[in-house]
Amino acid sequence: MIKTTVYLPEELELRLDAESSATGVSKAELIRRGIAMLLENSARPKQSHQLPVFNSGRALTAEAMDDMLYEHIKERAARR
């Protein structure tokens, strides 16, 4: 986790203290939950940029990809 500092108005701090005491949940956890709720309910899109789409023209199974990777590693090792 990354530490950050948040300045709260006194009334909000008192309410946060009371909620923490009443629920047994730390103030930090209550703040994290509040931020998560705010972001989940935001009208903004959750992903600001669409990921690029790449079509190789053929689909490979996991086994086929493993085989290709194994062959590549084997070829590189042979060159050493």
Side-chain angles (χ1 to χ4, degrees):
M1 285 195 211
I2 298 173
K3 182 180 178 181
T4 190
T5 302
V6 178
Y7 294 95
L8 300 174
E10 187 175 346
E11 182 184 330
L12 195 54
E13 172 70 16
L14 292 172
R15 290 174 61 196
L16 185 61
D17 272 334
E19 184 68 17
S20 177
S21 295
T23 61
V25 178
S26 72
K27 293 192 306 184
E29 179 61 23
L30 290 173
I31 292 169
R32 283 190 291 272
R33 290 177 185 178
I35 292 170
M37 280 179 28
L38 171 77
L39 295 176
E40 284 299 316
N41 295 322
S42 174
R44 292 185 57 189
K46 292 184 181 23
Q47 185 176 332
S48 58
H49 300 290
Q50 287 188 338
L51 295 175
V53 176
F54 174 77
N55 184 354
S56 67
R58 61 187 168 133
L60 294 176
T61 64
E63 291 81 16
M65 284 189 263
D66 286 347
D67 291 342
M68 289 175 61
L69 187 58
Y70 174 75
E71 287 301 318
H72 178 74
I73 292 169
K74 196 164 78 172
E75 288 172 12
R76 288 195 64 183
R79 285 187 248 156
R80 291 182 181 174

